[in-house]
Amino acid sequence: MSGTVQRRGLVDVGGVDHAAVARSSRSWGWWFVAEHRIRSMRSYVASWVAIGVGSPFLFLLGLGVGLGLLVDANQGAAGVDGVPYLTFLAPALAMATVMQTASQENTYGVFGGFKWFPMFFAMNGTPIGPAHIVIGFQVSVLVRVLLPLVAFVLVMVLFGIGSAAGAILLVPIGLLLGAAVGFAVMSWVATQTEDRGQLSFIERFVVVPLTLFSGTYFPLETLPWFLHWIGWISPLWHAAELGRAALYGAALAPGMALVHVGYLVLLAAATCLLSIRTFRRRLDR
């Protein structure tokens, strides 16, 4: 056959070693998925950059400086948690933005990959498998999360909020939070076959309440005792506590630091496996 060459038992068509391509896909399929989504982000890169860079300035100036003046005036020299309100608020705001971004990307992005533009089924028809799709998709979400996270860090360094080294540590903490929230949302969205408005529930009844009741704007201890459990199960609270310890040295026992990190790692790992299981079930039908 013209254009077909037999070599080492493999058939190459048009000079392409398809067996090698298949092996590469099985090894690096997750990166191919991530690259596909990252390239697709170019269509809205201008708004992505504008929102990602502008939000930290607006949030920290509006809530941190504006509201912070009132809080600091009432709290006196002690401030909140022993620091000015802006310093207390900044790491939690950065983590809240990470949670919101990871949640949004994994809501309609995952649902659309099955329903509206079924690229997951097309990917599954290649040597790329469900695990590759799940992990690759989440890697692309972390890239999306990285811009606002780095912007928050730069604003903190520029404004002299906390220590510069501590601000940099917010990046790995935020990426861990993004993975935990992203896989958790993905594991549920992947089970949804029809959109009857329930996808918006994540933003309204999960993201917003967790932002309000996870010690973001005030210490968790100031809430009534019967609401503390919301913070304890919230990945945002665990990340915010780690962020405050990193940024300005908030009191955090080593055991509690391990609890915070362990909770986020466990949540990410468990929901990642659950997502892979759900993807495999839907894609192999």
Side-chain angles (χ1 to χ4, degrees):
M1 181 184 296
S2 178
T4 302
V5 180
Q6 186 75 24
R7 182 171 59 85
R8 295 181 183 178
L10 301 176
V11 177
D12 295 354
V13 179
V16 178
D17 190 340
H18 294 279
V21 173
R23 287 194 300 271
S24 177
S25 297
R26 284 190 287 269
S27 300
W28 294 93
W30 62 271
W31 173 247
F32 297 156
V33 175
E35 183 182 14
H36 166 75
R37 291 206 73 245
I38 292 169
R39 287 178 179 273
S40 69
M41 293 177 186
R42 292 181 299 180
S43 60
Y44 56 93
V45 68
S47 59
W48 175 27
V49 172
I51 295 173
V53 175
S55 294
F57 282 95
L58 295 177
F59 278 133
L60 292 177
L61 285 174
L63 291 174
V65 177
L67 180 61
L69 293 175
L70 298 176
V71 174
D72 291 339
N74 289 326
Q75 293 295 113
V80 179
D81 201 23
V83 295
Y85 183 68
L86 179 58
T87 305
F88 170 82
L89 180 66
L93 275 183
M95 297 301 129
T97 301
V98 167
M99 180 179 71
Q100 183 181 39
T101 303
S103 172
Q104 290 173 345
E105 290 291 323
N106 279 279
T107 302
Y108 293 100
V110 172
F111 185 83
F114 284 112
K115 187 71 175 178
W116 298 321
F117 40 95
M119 61 180 178
F120 295 154
F121 292 99
M123 293 174 179
N124 193 55
T126 72
I128 295 175
H132 294 132
I133 298 173
V134 168
I135 295 173
F137 188 96
Q138 220 53 245
V139 168
S140 71
V141 171
L142 293 183
V143 172
R144 171 72 175 82
V145 161
L146 191 60
L147 178 63
L149 187 56
V150 170
F152 264 102
V153 170
L154 292 177
V155 171
M156 292 177 203
V157 173
L158 181 64
F159 287 176
I161 303 171
S163 69
I168 294 173
L169 286 176
L170 295 180
V171 174
I173 296 171
L175 292 178
L176 178 57
L177 172 64
V181 172
F183 281 125
V185 174
M186 171 185 275
S187 65
W188 178 77
V189 173
T191 66
Q192 305 302 300
T193 58
E194 298 292 338
D195 178 18
R196 297 184 175 88
Q198 75 275 22
L199 297 180
S200 63
F201 291 177
I202 295 177
E203 178 75 18
R204 297 174 183 175
F205 301 115
V206 177
V207 173
V208 171
L210 288 185
T211 302
L212 295 175
F213 297 107
S214 295
T216 305
Y217 303 104
F218 39 79
L220 185 65
E221 295 75 18
T222 61
L223 287 173
W225 64 268
F226 54 85
L227 293 178
H228 288 179
W229 67 271
I230 300 177
W232 297 340
I233 66 172
S234 168
L236 174 59
W237 178 70
H238 293 278
E241 290 294 288
L242 289 171
R244 285 171 175 141
L247 184 64
Y248 61 86
L252 184 63
M256 279 305 299
L258 289 176
V259 169
H260 293 318
V261 173
Y263 181 86
L264 294 174
V265 170
L266 180 62
L267 179 62
T271 52
C272 174
L273 294 176
L274 185 59
S275 297
I276 293 173
R277 179 182 177 184
T278 305
F279 267 63
R280 181 173 291 116
R281 186 184 302 118
R282 289 194 64 175
L283 294 175
D284 292 346
R285 286 177 180 174

